Amino acid sequence: MSPHLGHVSALMIALGSAVTFGQIQPVATEYRPSGYPETYSAFYPGVELRALPAARAQAAVARTQLSIAQTHLNNAVSDVHRSFQHSTELRNALAEQRNAYESLKAAREQALTNLKSDTTYLATIDLRNRLSDQIEEMRAQKDPSRMQLMALATMRLSYATKVTTMEASALAADPRVKDARDRLMEAGNQVAVLEEKFDDSVRNDPAVLAARKSVEDARIAAVGTEALYTEAVNVANAAMDYAYHLYDRPYPYVIQSPYYVAGYGYSAGNGFPVGYPIGYPYNWRGMGH
């Protein structure tokens, strides 16, 4: 075998060992091809080619283990989220938030009750609504006057602003509205605190941390085994090309010797000419072929 093939074979023999990263286990497999291809020539790169199935199997297993590890991580996060959603503390906080909102709505309605008997407030609302109707009717016309639309819109805005101001004054004067609003804000803050605690629990939960570590290890293993298989294919292709080259154009080594005749060397008494690579039979085709 050529010195070049010797280096290639030494590299590919290492592919017979499983690559282990974290929890990734070696692939228990053995490839046993027939001996027939070995009879093609003395330079057939059998070691390099037999390494490919095991390397490909290791890459496939690593990718599958990465997918499984990612699924386990997703399940761990879902378990923490489910526990949080069904916790008594969160349920009570959400219930308090809903009750506070309903209390605020009731307090607003009670605070605006007095305005419903205020003639100025009712007249302002009536004018606002009439102007809205007029604007819609004018827009429905084929060629509405933009100047008239602008004037009506300005008047409607002024009445709407007046209604809002009167309602805001009534709400601000009622202490029940303020208490209900404060209660709603406190309930919302409590829910926000619980959600922040949930985020921390996802990051620090032991099951999630272990699953995340498994994903990292599996990802490293997948990258490593995929690179191993890719380079195994590259080496096997190079070995095959080199084997074909040696078979088709078997050049001997050039040795500066007074006994070197016509490029064939001389017999060393063992049937092989001096100057040819190890394993090069003397009865193969001569130089230049």
Side-chain angles (χ1 to χ4, degrees):
M1 181 176 291
S2 167
H4 296 81
L5 283 178
H7 292 303
V8 173
S9 300
L11 173 62
M12 295 308 301
I13 288 174
L15 294 176
S17 301
V19 178
T20 302
F21 295 95
Q23 302 298 324
I24 304 303
Q25 300 299 325
V27 180
T29 181
E30 185 176 0
Y31 182 64
R32 295 179 177 274
S34 64
Y36 178 71
E38 304 289 356
T39 63
Y40 287 171
S41 75
F43 299 106
Y44 180 78
V47 174
E48 290 79 1
L49 297 181
R50 284 194 297 270
L52 294 181
R56 182 175 182 181
Q58 292 173 15
V61 170
R63 288 193 298 269
T64 302
Q65 289 177 330
L66 175 59
S67 177
I68 293 173
Q70 186 64 57
T71 300
H72 289 168
L73 175 59
N74 295 338
N75 292 339
V77 174
S78 297
D79 291 341
V80 177
H81 185 266
R82 190 179 301 108
S83 299
F84 171 71
Q85 292 293 332
H86 292 83
S87 64
T88 303
E89 190 176 12
L90 179 62
R91 288 183 176 181
N92 293 338
L94 292 176
E96 172 62 17
Q97 189 179 42
R98 288 191 297 269
N99 294 334
Y101 177 71
E102 294 297 331
S103 298
L104 178 60
K105 288 176 58 179
R108 286 174 58 87
E109 291 294 331
Q110 294 175 2
L112 296 177
T113 300
N114 296 332
L115 282 179
K116 294 179 180 179
S117 59
D118 189 328
T119 57
T120 303
Y121 174 75
L122 296 177
T124 305
I125 291 180
D126 184 63
L127 289 173
R128 182 196 63 183
N129 295 338
R130 287 184 180 183
L131 288 172
S132 298
D133 294 339
Q134 292 180 16
I135 291 173
E136 292 300 325
E137 292 175 359
M138 185 169 292
R139 285 178 176 174
Q141 297 176 4
K142 184 176 182 180
D143 294 319
S145 173
R146 298 186 61 182
M147 295 296 295
Q148 293 181 0
L149 281 175
M150 182 66 69
L152 291 175
T154 302
M155 294 177 60
R156 182 192 178 281
L157 179 60
S158 65
Y159 286 120
T161 303
K162 186 175 181 180
V163 170
T164 302
T165 302
M166 295 177 68
E167 291 176 350
S169 299
L171 294 176
D174 195 326
R176 292 172 299 182
V177 175
K178 181 180 183 303
D179 294 340
R181 186 180 291 112
D182 293 342
R183 178 186 175 188
L184 179 60
M185 293 181 61
E186 184 178 356
N189 291 335
Q190 181 62 27
V191 173
V193 169
L194 292 178
E195 291 177 347
E196 185 176 355
K197 289 175 59 178
F198 165 71
D199 292 338
D200 294 337
S201 66
V202 171
R203 292 183 176 88
N204 301 322
D205 184 80
V208 174
L209 292 177
R212 186 176 290 113
K213 180 63 166 59
S214 296
V215 170
E216 293 173 356
D217 293 341
R219 183 174 291 110
I220 294 174
V223 172
T225 53
E226 190 68 32
L228 185 67
Y229 173 63
T230 300
E231 292 308 314
V233 172
N234 294 337
V235 172
N237 289 333
M240 285 296 297
D241 292 342
Y242 192 64
Y244 277 119
H245 174 73
L246 291 180
Y247 181 81
D248 291 338
R249 303 181 65 82
Y251 291 104
Y253 292 140
V254 177
I255 297 179
Q256 300 298 329
S257 169
Y259 304 99
Y260 188 79
V261 180
Y264 288 94
Y266 65 92
S267 175
N270 55 5
F272 293 95
V274 174
Y276 289 85
I278 299 176
Y280 185 91
Y282 70 93
N283 57 351
W284 274 23
R285 289 172 288 182
M287 292 178 55
H289 297 285

